[in-house]
Structure formats: structure tokens, C-alpha cells
Amino acid sequence: MLAFLSKNIGTIIVLLIVIAVVAVVVVKMVRDKKSGKSSCGCDCGNCQECGHCK
């Protein structure tokens, strides 16, 4: 097991960084969705094209 970890430590570190970045993006998207922000970056409540965003 130690041999596997020592041979693949670079890959494991990169994988952990990628997982952390994806988790941060997902959390941000969920918070934005709960606060009423749309994926286009605008506040749909004040948008003239509100019906077309979905």
C-alpha cells in the first residue's frame, strides 16, 4: 500500500485538488440557486427576458 501511494502521490494530489475545485463550484451553484440568482449571472426578477431563461 505504501509503495502504491509513493508511486502515485502526484496523481493523488492532483485528483484531490480537482475534487476540491468541483466541490467549491457545486456549492456556489447551489447557494446561487437558493438565493434566486440564475445561471446567466443576472437577477431574473428584474430581467425583461425572465421567461426565456429556463
Side-chain angles (χ1 to χ4, degrees):
M1 183 70 172
L2 256 180
F4 172 79
L5 289 175
S6 65
K7 287 182 182 179
N8 297 306
I9 192 71
T11 304
I12 293 168
I13 291 172
V14 170
L15 177 65
L16 292 174
I17 291 170
V18 169
I19 289 172
V21 169
V22 169
V24 167
V25 169
V26 169
V27 168
K28 171 96 170 92
M29 289 173 63
V30 168
R31 286 183 180 168
D32 286 349
K33 181 75 171 175
K34 285 184 179 181
S35 69
K37 294 181 183 176
S38 71
S39 62
C40 65
C42 300
D43 181 17
C44 281
N46 297 325
C47 181
Q48 293 176 358
E49 300 291 325
C50 184
H52 302 290
C53 290
K54 297 166 179 72

PDB file of all heavy atoms in Angstrom, residues 13-29:
ATOM      1  N   ILE A  13      -2.555  13.890  -5.444  1.00  0.00           N
ATOM      2  CA  ILE A  13      -2.653  15.309  -5.085  1.00  0.00           C
ATOM      3  C   ILE A  13      -3.464  16.082  -6.125  1.00  0.00           C
ATOM      4  O   ILE A  13      -4.343  16.878  -5.783  1.00  0.00           O
ATOM      5  CB  ILE A  13      -1.246  15.920  -4.901  1.00  0.00           C
ATOM      6  CG1 ILE A  13      -0.595  15.338  -3.645  1.00  0.00           C
ATOM      7  CG2 ILE A  13      -1.314  17.441  -4.829  1.00  0.00           C
ATOM      8  CD1 ILE A  13       0.847  15.716  -3.467  1.00  0.00           C
ATOM      9  N   VAL A  14      -3.211  15.823  -7.400  1.00  0.00           N
ATOM     10  CA  VAL A  14      -3.967  16.492  -8.464  1.00  0.00           C
ATOM     11  C   VAL A  14      -5.431  16.105  -8.386  1.00  0.00           C
ATOM     12  O   VAL A  14      -6.324  16.960  -8.532  1.00  0.00           O
ATOM     13  CB  VAL A  14      -3.372  16.163  -9.851  1.00  0.00           C
ATOM     14  CG1 VAL A  14      -4.276  16.644 -10.960  1.00  0.00           C
ATOM     15  CG2 VAL A  14      -1.986  16.765  -9.986  1.00  0.00           C
ATOM     16  N   LEU A  15      -5.717  14.847  -8.134  1.00  0.00           N
ATOM     17  CA  LEU A  15      -7.098  14.388  -8.007  1.00  0.00           C
ATOM     18  C   LEU A  15      -7.804  15.092  -6.847  1.00  0.00           C
ATOM     19  O   LEU A  15      -8.948  15.539  -6.991  1.00  0.00           O
ATOM     20  CB  LEU A  15      -7.138  12.877  -7.806  1.00  0.00           C
ATOM     21  CG  LEU A  15      -8.516  12.271  -7.579  1.00  0.00           C
ATOM     22  CD1 LEU A  15      -9.374  12.433  -8.825  1.00  0.00           C
ATOM     23  CD2 LEU A  15      -8.387  10.814  -7.198  1.00  0.00           C
ATOM     24  N   LEU A  16      -7.137  15.226  -5.730  1.00  0.00           N
ATOM     25  CA  LEU A  16      -7.733  15.917  -4.587  1.00  0.00           C
ATOM     26  C   LEU A  16      -7.998  17.388  -4.880  1.00  0.00           C
ATOM     27  O   LEU A  16      -9.029  17.936  -4.474  1.00  0.00           O
ATOM     28  CB  LEU A  16      -6.835  15.765  -3.360  1.00  0.00           C
ATOM     29  CG  LEU A  16      -6.734  14.349  -2.777  1.00  0.00           C
ATOM     30  CD1 LEU A  16      -5.714  14.316  -1.659  1.00  0.00           C
ATOM     31  CD2 LEU A  16      -8.083  13.865  -2.306  1.00  0.00           C
ATOM     32  N   ILE A  17      -7.093  18.025  -5.600  1.00  0.00           N
ATOM     33  CA  ILE A  17      -7.292  19.432  -5.980  1.00  0.00           C
ATOM     34  C   ILE A  17      -8.487  19.571  -6.912  1.00  0.00           C
ATOM     35  O   ILE A  17      -9.328  20.465  -6.741  1.00  0.00           O
ATOM     36  CB  ILE A  17      -6.009  20.010  -6.610  1.00  0.00           C
ATOM     37  CG1 ILE A  17      -4.914  20.133  -5.553  1.00  0.00           C
ATOM     38  CG2 ILE A  17      -6.275  21.357  -7.267  1.00  0.00           C
ATOM     39  CD1 ILE A  17      -3.553  20.472  -6.105  1.00  0.00           C
ATOM     40  N   VAL A  18      -8.601  18.680  -7.888  1.00  0.00           N
ATOM     41  CA  VAL A  18      -9.725  18.728  -8.837  1.00  0.00           C
ATOM     42  C   VAL A  18     -11.041  18.489  -8.102  1.00  0.00           C
ATOM     43  O   VAL A  18     -12.032  19.191  -8.344  1.00  0.00           O
ATOM     44  CB  VAL A  18      -9.525  17.704  -9.976  1.00  0.00           C
ATOM     45  CG1 VAL A  18     -10.778  17.544 -10.800  1.00  0.00           C
ATOM     46  CG2 VAL A  18      -8.359  18.120 -10.851  1.00  0.00           C
ATOM     47  N   ILE A  19     -11.064  17.539  -7.191  1.00  0.00           N
ATOM     48  CA  ILE A  19     -12.282  17.263  -6.419  1.00  0.00           C
ATOM     49  C   ILE A  19     -12.662  18.485  -5.576  1.00  0.00           C
ATOM     50  O   ILE A  19     -13.840  18.850  -5.499  1.00  0.00           O
ATOM     51  CB  ILE A  19     -12.092  16.014  -5.537  1.00  0.00           C
ATOM     52  CG1 ILE A  19     -12.065  14.764  -6.416  1.00  0.00           C
ATOM     53  CG2 ILE A  19     -13.190  15.909  -4.497  1.00  0.00           C
ATOM     54  CD1 ILE A  19     -11.682  13.498  -5.680  1.00  0.00           C
ATOM     55  N   ALA A  20     -11.682  19.146  -4.979  1.00  0.00           N
ATOM     56  CA  ALA A  20     -11.958  20.331  -4.177  1.00  0.00           C
ATOM     57  C   ALA A  20     -12.531  21.464  -5.029  1.00  0.00           C
ATOM     58  O   ALA A  20     -13.487  22.132  -4.627  1.00  0.00           O
ATOM     59  CB  ALA A  20     -10.691  20.799  -3.463  1.00  0.00           C
ATOM     60  N   VAL A  21     -11.969  21.673  -6.215  1.00  0.00           N
ATOM     61  CA  VAL A  21     -12.465  22.728  -7.108  1.00  0.00           C
ATOM     62  C   VAL A  21     -13.895  22.433  -7.544  1.00  0.00           C
ATOM     63  O   VAL A  21     -14.758  23.323  -7.545  1.00  0.00           O
ATOM     64  CB  VAL A  21     -11.521  22.896  -8.323  1.00  0.00           C
ATOM     65  CG1 VAL A  21     -12.145  23.778  -9.381  1.00  0.00           C
ATOM     66  CG2 VAL A  21     -10.179  23.461  -7.880  1.00  0.00           C
ATOM     67  N   VAL A  22     -14.167  21.194  -7.907  1.00  0.00           N
ATOM     68  CA  VAL A  22     -15.526  20.820  -8.324  1.00  0.00           C
ATOM     69  C   VAL A  22     -16.500  21.010  -7.166  1.00  0.00           C
ATOM     70  O   VAL A  22     -17.615  21.520  -7.369  1.00  0.00           O
ATOM     71  CB  VAL A  22     -15.551  19.365  -8.851  1.00  0.00           C
ATOM     72  CG1 VAL A  22     -16.971  18.865  -9.029  1.00  0.00           C
ATOM     73  CG2 VAL A  22     -14.783  19.266 -10.158  1.00  0.00           C
ATOM     74  N   ALA A  23     -16.103  20.641  -5.959  1.00  0.00           N
ATOM     75  CA  ALA A  23     -16.979  20.815  -4.797  1.00  0.00           C
ATOM     76  C   ALA A  23     -17.283  22.285  -4.549  1.00  0.00           C
ATOM     77  O   ALA A  23     -18.429  22.651  -4.266  1.00  0.00           O
ATOM     78  CB  ALA A  23     -16.330  20.184  -3.568  1.00  0.00           C
ATOM     79  N   VAL A  24     -16.281  23.153  -4.680  1.00  0.00           N
ATOM     80  CA  VAL A  24     -16.498  24.591  -4.482  1.00  0.00           C
ATOM     81  C   VAL A  24     -17.466  25.132  -5.539  1.00  0.00           C
ATOM     82  O   VAL A  24     -18.361  25.922  -5.224  1.00  0.00           O
ATOM     83  CB  VAL A  24     -15.148  25.346  -4.512  1.00  0.00           C
ATOM     84  CG1 VAL A  24     -15.358  26.842  -4.624  1.00  0.00           C
ATOM     85  CG2 VAL A  24     -14.328  25.010  -3.294  1.00  0.00           C
ATOM     86  N   VAL A  25     -17.317  24.701  -6.769  1.00  0.00           N
ATOM     87  CA  VAL A  25     -18.206  25.159  -7.842  1.00  0.00           C
ATOM     88  C   VAL A  25     -19.638  24.696  -7.585  1.00  0.00           C
ATOM     89  O   VAL A  25     -20.590  25.476  -7.739  1.00  0.00           O
ATOM     90  CB  VAL A  25     -17.696  24.670  -9.214  1.00  0.00           C
ATOM     91  CG1 VAL A  25     -18.725  24.895 -10.302  1.00  0.00           C
ATOM     92  CG2 VAL A  25     -16.385  25.348  -9.571  1.00  0.00           C
ATOM     93  N   VAL A  26     -19.812  23.453  -7.177  1.00  0.00           N
ATOM     94  CA  VAL A  26     -21.159  22.932  -6.919  1.00  0.00           C
ATOM     95  C   VAL A  26     -21.803  23.673  -5.746  1.00  0.00           C
ATOM     96  O   VAL A  26     -22.981  24.053  -5.821  1.00  0.00           O
ATOM     97  CB  VAL A  26     -21.106  21.405  -6.666  1.00  0.00           C
ATOM     98  CG1 VAL A  26     -22.437  20.897  -6.124  1.00  0.00           C
ATOM     99  CG2 VAL A  26     -20.734  20.675  -7.941  1.00  0.00           C
ATOM    100  N   VAL A  27     -21.055  23.908  -4.685  1.00  0.00           N
ATOM    101  CA  VAL A  27     -21.594  24.641  -3.538  1.00  0.00           C
ATOM    102  C   VAL A  27     -21.999  26.046  -3.950  1.00  0.00           C
ATOM    103  O   VAL A  27     -23.069  26.535  -3.569  1.00  0.00           O
ATOM    104  CB  VAL A  27     -20.578  24.664  -2.381  1.00  0.00           C
ATOM    105  CG1 VAL A  27     -20.979  25.656  -1.297  1.00  0.00           C
ATOM    106  CG2 VAL A  27     -20.410  23.278  -1.795  1.00  0.00           C
ATOM    107  N   LYS A  28     -21.178  26.702  -4.755  1.00  0.00           N
ATOM    108  CA  LYS A  28     -21.501  28.059  -5.235  1.00  0.00           C
ATOM    109  C   LYS A  28     -22.772  28.048  -6.073  1.00  0.00           C
ATOM    110  O   LYS A  28     -23.627  28.925  -5.921  1.00  0.00           O
ATOM    111  CB  LYS A  28     -20.331  28.608  -6.059  1.00  0.00           C
ATOM    112  CG  LYS A  28     -20.618  29.900  -6.781  1.00  0.00           C
ATOM    113  CD  LYS A  28     -20.145  31.083  -5.988  1.00  0.00           C
ATOM    114  CE  LYS A  28     -20.205  32.344  -6.817  1.00  0.00           C
ATOM    115  NZ  LYS A  28     -21.434  33.062  -6.682  1.00  0.00           N
ATOM    116  N   MET A  29     -22.910  27.053  -6.939  1.00  0.00           N
ATOM    117  CA  MET A  29     -24.110  26.969  -7.779  1.00  0.00           C
ATOM    118  C   MET A  29     -25.359  26.736  -6.937  1.00  0.00           C
ATOM    119  O   MET A  29     -26.407  27.336  -7.199  1.00  0.00           O
ATOM    120  CB  MET A  29     -23.950  25.855  -8.812  1.00  0.00           C
ATOM    121  CG  MET A  29     -22.953  26.177  -9.901  1.00  0.00           C
ATOM    122  SD  MET A  29     -22.627  24.802 -11.003  1.00  0.00           S
ATOM    123  CE  MET A  29     -24.224  24.559 -11.743  1.00  0.00           C
TER     124      MET A  29
END
